[in-house]
Amino acid sequence: MKAKAFDSQLFRRILKFTQPYRLLFRGVIAAAILLSIVTALRPFLLKKTVDLYIDPKDAQGLLLYVCLMGVVLILEGLFQFYFVYWANILGQNIIRDIRLKLFHHLLRFRMKYFDTAPVGQLVTRTVSDIEQIARIFSQGLFMIISDLLKMVVVLGFMFYMNWRLTLIVVAAMPILVYVTRVFQRKMQVAFEEVRTQVANMNTFVQERVTGMKIVQLFNREDIEYQKFKEINEKHNKAWIKTILYNSIFFPIADIISSLCLAFVVLYGGIRILDGDKFTTFGDLFSYTMFIGMLFNPLRQIADKFNEMQMGMISANRVFDVLDLQEEKQVDGTVVAEHFKGEIELKAVRFSYIPGEEVLKGIDLKVQPGQTIAIVGATGAGKSTIINLLNRFYEIDSGSITIDGTNIDAFTLESLRRQIGVVLQDVFLFADSIYNNITLGNPEISRESVIAAAKKIGVHEFIMSLPGNYNHDVKERGVMLSSGQRQLIAFLRAYVSNPSILIMDEATSSIDTHSEELIQKATDTITEGRTSIVIAHRLATIVNADKIIVMERGQIVESGNHATLLQLENGYYKKLYESQFSETA
């Protein structure tokens, strides 16, 4: 959705976030009012000083007014401090709340959303866009309010002192207002283009840094450099456009202000020479300050409106994500304390893309405590079943039940707590091994982690690392081999003590020693709980209670290892013989 020049509905929505900080908000407004009054007092006191004490040569009165102006100046500095400080504190508090709300919202999106949403764009929304919202308050809204108050107070003093000179100033203001309005419209379009290019650049850089190994393996450095050069050029042009508009506007504003001052001095000088008692030298002195106080805020309002506009555009982008309620998963109400482990899929159909079914009416029943293996070619739908059991995606039709209860009825937290998953592509956070195993769960003690590691034979490997359980694996676990990462993921699932264990290609990318460790632990881990194993390496599943063979989203064969080998021209038999011959 494209942001308007000023979207009042969006602005009201932003202001709702100030409600917990009403006292601070009022403090900023009060500081702005007091600041505008004391700021306008300085030129007024200057007029009085010139007319009452400098012209009559009254040194004692001059000293008194100079001291009075010093007090006003101190008060102006004090109010300016509180105004700026409180406005920035309010802005930071608000973006803290919005950022928490946005991240909490993202954590509950369906996995389908993250399949298509660029990561760099989400990072931009969560970090830089929200940071820009703070400038609505620190550099935009309150600065504009303060400037408008100053202008109103200054005009009041000017009309009180000399309405004739003031009319000359007022006559010039519509010209500056018109120029300012044109500038605002141009800048709004330019800034929206800037934010778009920033999001594009973030997305591009994030993807290339993450996939740097592929870039270098396939010698794409020059190609990616040229692509980045094009994106960077668009970003550069978007900013140059804003620089151009600023370069045109501010000189024009300065010229209008200078011409206005020239006319005031000319007219006021003529009135003084003609003996007009209502126009004094004090008026001319004070008006040189008043015109700056009147025109500079009007000129700066355009710049501050730009800051506010940038914040509004960023807020619009953030709220677009917050408004995606259809992407949030509907949570159940039943808390799953413990599963016996009976799983049943009835006529389950599912498609990632509408019209392109991945699962085509799957019927499958797993008894409590059974170990079920699912095999098939890539794209057959094996991993999709795992995604559906964890409710990462919602099925198109059919039903999935655990212990006779539809999984939609369970709360997502309790459902996933009872299902332990070891994926082929292991993701580790830039943290210690211990924290990657427990994932911050306070119910899992260090002693239980060490005991579990010893039980499955991982303890020695961890103790061999610098810092052992406190070893920092760095981003995505780059300090560990793929086999070591797999073992950590296996231990992570084991210590959570799930009712159902799922291993998705869990031994497909590890070395022989690591595979032996996992194979050794499998019997212990699967004891007393339902287990589902997805694997290409059939040697790891020959002892499964039941083997499900999938092809193109359907179950084509079912039975134990011995039964499936007896099927003439069976898919499993061909696959097993092929792998056996390769191993031989």
Side-chain angles (χ1 to χ4, degrees):
M1 184 175 113
K2 186 177 180 180
K4 303 173 186 176
F6 185 81
D7 191 331
S8 58
Q9 185 177 357
L10 176 64
F11 184 65
R12 286 195 298 270
R13 186 173 180 182
I14 296 169
L15 284 182
K16 285 182 180 178
F17 285 92
T18 66
Q19 291 179 358
Y21 311 102
R22 292 188 188 93
L23 186 62
L24 187 58
F25 185 88
R26 291 166 186 166
V28 176
I29 298 297
I33 293 171
L34 293 171
L35 179 62
S36 63
I37 293 172
V38 296
T39 300
L41 270 176
R42 283 192 292 114
F44 180 74
L45 291 175
L46 178 63
K47 167 189 164 56
K48 293 294 185 183
T49 302
V50 172
D51 291 342
L52 299 178
Y53 302 108
I54 294 179
D55 197 23
K57 299 180 180 179
D58 183 349
Q60 186 176 358
L62 175 63
L63 181 62
L64 176 65
Y65 260 72
V66 168
C67 291
L68 185 58
M69 289 176 68
V71 172
V72 170
L73 192 62
I74 292 171
L75 287 174
E76 184 180 353
L78 190 65
F79 292 141
Q80 181 76 22
F81 166 76
Y82 281 111
F83 171 70
V84 174
Y85 180 71
W86 287 343
N88 278 276
I89 290 294
L90 180 62
Q92 289 301 317
N93 286 342
I94 287 170
I95 65 168
R96 177 195 61 195
D97 296 345
I98 296 177
R99 185 177 284 122
L100 284 173
K101 185 174 182 179
L102 177 64
F103 193 69
H104 182 270
H105 194 65
L106 286 173
L107 288 173
R108 282 149 184 80
F109 274 2
R110 304 172 191 268
M111 198 59 63
K112 181 179 179 181
Y113 175 79
F114 299 102
D115 290 341
T116 55
V119 176
Q121 189 179 88
L122 292 179
V123 171
T124 302
R125 299 290 180 272
T126 311
V127 181
S128 59
D129 274 342
I130 288 184
E131 201 65 43
Q132 191 65 43
I133 295 174
R135 299 179 73 84
I136 292 178
F137 299 95
S138 62
Q139 302 296 326
L141 173 64
F142 292 125
M143 290 296 180
I144 291 173
I145 291 174
S146 175
D147 287 343
L148 289 174
L149 285 171
K150 285 179 186 176
M151 291 169 64
V152 170
V153 175
V154 164
L155 276 173
F157 272 97
M158 291 172 70
F159 272 110
Y160 172 75
M161 289 166 49
N162 193 314
W163 64 269
R164 292 181 180 87
L165 294 180
T166 304
L167 287 177
I168 296 174
V169 178
V170 171
M173 289 180 67
I175 302 172
L176 186 57
V177 170
Y178 173 76
V179 173
T180 301
R181 185 58 181 157
V182 172
F183 173 68
Q184 288 171 351
R185 288 174 179 169
K186 295 290 185 181
M187 289 298 284
Q188 188 268 332
V189 176
F191 276 136
E192 189 161 339
E193 176 63 19
V194 167
R195 297 309 302 167
T196 300
Q197 295 305 327
V198 167
N200 291 341
M201 184 175 290
N202 284 346
T203 300
F204 184 89
V205 172
Q206 188 274 333
E207 285 184 345
R208 270 57 186 183
V209 170
T210 303
M212 188 58 71
K213 184 181 290 185
I214 299 299
V215 171
Q216 294 185 357
L217 278 173
F218 289 89
N219 299 312
R220 290 184 58 86
E221 292 92 338
D222 291 339
I223 296 173
E224 299 302 336
Y225 172 75
Q226 290 301 324
K227 287 183 179 179
F228 180 77
K229 190 175 180 180
E230 291 175 11
I231 294 173
N232 193 39
E233 185 65 26
K234 290 179 181 178
H235 178 264
N236 178 255
K237 286 180 179 178
W239 270 113
I240 286 176
K241 193 177 290 185
T242 67
I243 294 169
L244 174 64
Y245 293 149
N246 277 296
S247 302
I248 294 173
F249 170 74
F250 287 107
I252 291 176
D254 285 338
I255 290 171
I256 294 172
S257 176
S258 299
L259 287 173
C260 179
L261 178 60
F263 278 114
V264 167
V265 171
L266 177 64
Y267 178 76
I270 292 172
R271 299 288 295 181
I272 292 172
L273 292 175
D274 287 345
D276 181 10
K277 63 179 180 179
F278 296 107
T279 304
T280 66
F281 283 108
D283 288 335
L284 295 183
F285 272 102
S286 62
Y287 267 68
T288 58
M289 292 180 66
F290 272 136
I291 289 173
M293 289 181 175
L294 195 64
F295 278 57
N296 284 341
L298 188 60
R299 186 186 70 175
Q300 291 170 4
I301 280 176
D303 192 40
K304 286 158 187 172
F305 187 87
N306 292 336
E307 293 288 351
M308 192 168 171
Q309 187 64 54
M310 286 280 280
M312 295 278 281
I313 292 170
S314 296
N316 193 62
R317 295 173 185 272
V318 170
F319 290 146
D320 279 346
V321 179
L322 285 173
D323 289 339
L324 290 173
Q325 295 298 327
E326 68 274 10
E327 297 293 349
K328 291 184 69 176
Q329 283 193 279
V330 179
D331 209 353
T333 56
V334 179
V335 177
E337 298 291 347
H338 181 76
F339 289 143
K340 293 178 182 177
E342 182 183 81
I343 303 172
E344 186 169 10
L345 285 73
K346 290 183 179 179
V348 172
R349 292 183 175 275
F350 173 76
S351 54
Y352 292 102
I353 301 171
E356 299 180 16
E357 280 194 335
V358 178
L359 298 183
K360 305 171 183 178
I362 295 294
D363 291 302
L364 174 63
K365 188 166 186 177
V366 184
Q367 297 298 333
Q370 274 191 328
T371 297
I372 299 295
I374 305 177
V375 300
T378 301
K382 306 183 300 298
S383 296
T384 299
I385 292 178
I386 307 309
N387 290 332
L388 296 180
L389 275 174
N390 283 281
R391 282 197 64 197
F392 289 144
Y393 302 87
E394 304 298 334
I395 60 176
D396 298 338
S397 62
S399 67
I400 301 176
T401 61
I402 299 179
D403 294 347
T405 303
N406 198 301
I407 60 172
D408 291 348
F410 296 114
T411 63
L412 290 168
E413 181 183 359
S414 65
L415 172 69
R416 291 168 183 169
R417 187 184 292 271
Q418 294 301 321
I419 302 177
V421 181
V422 181
L423 298 174
Q424 177 185 11
D425 184 18
V426 179
F427 187 94
L428 297 181
F429 296 94
D431 206 333
S432 67
I433 284 181
Y434 175 75
N435 287 335
N436 269 287
I437 293 169
T438 63
L439 296 179
N441 187 346
E443 298 176 5
I444 303 175
S445 67
R446 194 178 189 88
E447 291 73 21
S448 64
V449 170
I450 294 173
K454 288 179 178 178
K455 196 169 185 178
I456 66 172
V458 183
H459 180 69
E460 291 183 7
F461 136 64
I462 295 175
M463 293 301 293
S464 67
L465 298 170
N468 51 76
Y469 285 88
N470 294 321
H471 179 66
D472 190 346
V473 301
K474 305 300 181 184
E475 188 176 0
R476 299 183 68 88
V478 295
M479 301 304 291
L480 303 178
S481 68
S482 59
Q484 290 172 332
R485 290 197 297 269
Q486 198 68 256
L487 288 168
I488 296 301
F490 202 89
L491 183 56
R492 176 195 286 171
Y494 181 45
V495 297
S496 66
N497 192 28
S499 304
I500 298 170
L501 180 66
I502 296 171
M503 291 181 286
D504 185 1
E505 311 282 3
T507 60
S508 63
S509 60
I510 61 176
D511 54 58
T512 304
H513 177 65
S514 298
E515 182 178 351
E516 288 173 357
L517 288 175
I518 291 179
Q519 284 299 112
K520 181 181 176 182
T522 299
D523 292 339
T524 304
I525 295 172
T526 57
E527 186 178 354
R529 58 169 60 95
T530 303
S531 302
I532 300 177
V533 180
I534 299 176
H536 283 305
R537 299 168 71 170
L538 305 187
T540 63
I541 58 169
V542 292
N543 295 322
D545 296 313
K546 183 189 290 186
I547 298 172
I548 304 299
V549 183
M550 294 189 66
E551 185 178 13
R552 296 181 182 178
Q554 295 179 313
I555 296 175
V556 294
E557 294 174 9
S558 177
N560 60 31
H561 175 70
T563 303
L564 292 177
L565 285 182
Q566 293 175 4
L567 296 177
E568 286 294 330
N569 298 318
Y571 184 98
Y572 180 83
K573 182 179 181 180
K574 290 179 181 178
L575 191 61
Y576 183 79
E577 289 175 348
S578 172
Q579 289 194 10
F580 181 78
S581 63
E582 288 175 5
T583 305

